[in-house]
Amino acid sequence: MVNPLSSSLRVVVTPNTIINQKRHTLYYLYNEEMLCATATTCLVAIENEKLMSWKNHTSGQHSHELEYTIGFESLTSTRLSTRISLSNSLNGVEIRDTNSGIYKKFLPEEMSPERRLKTRVAIPAHSDLYFYQSKYVLETEVYFTHDGWSRLCVVVSNDDAQTRRWRIRSTVHSAEFTTTDQELQEVVEMNMFGQTKQDVYGDSQRRFDDLTDRAKDTLRGFD
C-alpha cells in the first residue's frame, strides 16, 4: 500500500490511536500524600500543511528561500502540558502502521518549543512544485490520582462521581516535507494500530471536595 502521506492533504485517524501513556508525579510528601497525573496521548490526524507553491515556466532551475515552523505547541491546557512536561515525554515516541507504511519517530528538535527556520527549495525547469510540511495533531487525556489517608484514589467530580479529566490539544510541526507537482486535496480516514489502554491507576474514588487543600489548589491551576 502506498503511504497516504505522499498523496493526501490530511489523514484522519479513526478511532484516535494511543501512541503514549505515562504517569507523572506532581508532588510527593513523605508519609503524607501524593498527587499523580496519568496522561494518555492519541494521534488524531496527520496533515500536509502547504507552505508554498511555485510555477517555473523557464528552461532553467530556480531556487527560493522558504521560512517554516518546527516544534511542539500546546493549543489548550498549556499550564498542565508544561507541568507534566508533555513534549519531553513524547520525545522518541514512535508511530508505526505496517499496513499503510506510515512510520514516525518524534525527534528532539520536533519536541522543542516552536521556532522559525529557513531552507532553500529548488524548482526544476518547466515544472510546478507544491511544498508541504507534515503536522501531527495530538490529543492527550489526563486524569489524577491522589494518595492520602492510606488510600490511592482517582479524583472524581463532586456531583456525578465521574472521573475528572483534562484534555490537551497539541501539534507537532515535524522535520518531514513532501513535494508534489499537483496540489494535494484528498482527505483519508484510516484505522491505525496503537497501544492498548492501561488500567486506571487507583483502588477507589475520591471526590474533589474531599481532597487536601494542596491537591485542590494544584488542580484548580489547570482549569
Side-chain angles (χ1 to χ4, degrees):
M1 181 177 181
V2 177
N3 187 332
L5 294 181
S6 63
S7 58
S8 304
L9 183 64
R10 178 179 171 92
V11 175
V12 180
V13 183
T14 55
N16 297 167
T17 297
I18 297 176
I19 61 172
N20 192 54
Q21 300 174 87
K22 189 172 177 112
R23 188 172 301 120
H24 309 262
T25 300
L26 299 183
Y27 66 80
Y28 171 67
L29 303 176
Y30 182 70
N31 277 342
E32 291 186 36
E33 64 171 311
M34 176 177 69
L35 186 66
C36 294
T38 299
T40 302
T41 300
C42 293
L43 175 64
V44 175
I46 309 172
E47 300 176 355
N48 273 323
E49 195 170 79
K50 188 171 79 170
L51 301 185
M52 191 67 70
S53 63
W54 299 272
K55 296 181 182 296
N56 182 5
H57 296 160
T58 71
S59 57
Q61 177 176 285
H62 286 184
S63 176
H64 289 274
E65 185 176 76
L66 176 67
E67 190 173 352
Y68 64 96
T69 298
I70 188 171
F72 174 90
E73 181 184 21
S74 292
L75 305 178
T76 63
S77 302
T78 54
R79 289 183 181 178
L80 177 56
S81 177
T82 300
R83 182 68 180 271
I84 65 175
S85 299
L86 179 60
S87 60
N88 289 335
S89 70
L90 295 174
N91 185 20
V93 165
E94 295 184 350
I95 299 169
R96 187 190 301 269
D97 187 76
T98 54
N99 290 331
S100 64
I102 292 177
Y103 173 76
K104 172 62 182 171
K105 180 177 180 179
F106 288 126
L107 305 174
E109 57 265 33
E110 296 170 332
M111 287 300 145
S112 300
E114 281 194 341
R115 60 208 180 280
R116 299 290 287 175
L117 299 174
K118 293 180 180 180
T119 188
R120 294 201 70 84
V121 180
I123 302 94
H126 304 294
S127 66
D128 298 341
L129 188 143
Y130 296 85
F131 194 88
Y132 296 88
Q133 180 184 19
S134 295
K135 181 177 75 174
Y136 292 78
V137 181
L138 309 176
E139 184 165 279
T140 302
E141 182 182 83
V142 182
Y143 70 88
F144 297 90
T145 303
H146 183 245
D147 189 354
W149 303 288
S150 301
R151 289 178 60 200
L152 185 65
C153 299
V154 175
V155 179
V156 299
S157 299
N158 292 318
D159 49 359
D160 56 10
Q162 295 296 310
T163 301
R164 291 191 58 164
R165 301 180 189 274
W166 280 248
R167 294 186 184 276
I168 305 170
R169 193 80 166 193
S170 57
T171 58
V172 180
H173 279 94
S174 76
E176 301 170 342
F177 303 95
T178 298
T179 57
T180 67
D181 58 3
Q182 293 183 339
E183 188 168 13
L184 299 179
Q185 296 181 350
E186 186 177 12
V187 176
V188 176
E189 290 191 0
M190 290 188 57
N191 188 332
M192 295 175 59
F193 175 78
Q195 299 178 11
T196 300
K197 193 166 188 177
Q198 298 174 354
D199 293 335
V200 173
Y201 180 57
D203 302 321
S204 56
Q205 297 180 338
R206 181 166 292 141
R207 295 170 59 235
F208 181 85
D209 283 350
D210 295 332
L211 298 173
T212 63
D213 289 341
R214 183 187 182 101
K216 286 188 283 190
D217 289 344
T218 299
L219 296 182
R220 287 192 186 105
F222 303 141
D223 287 336

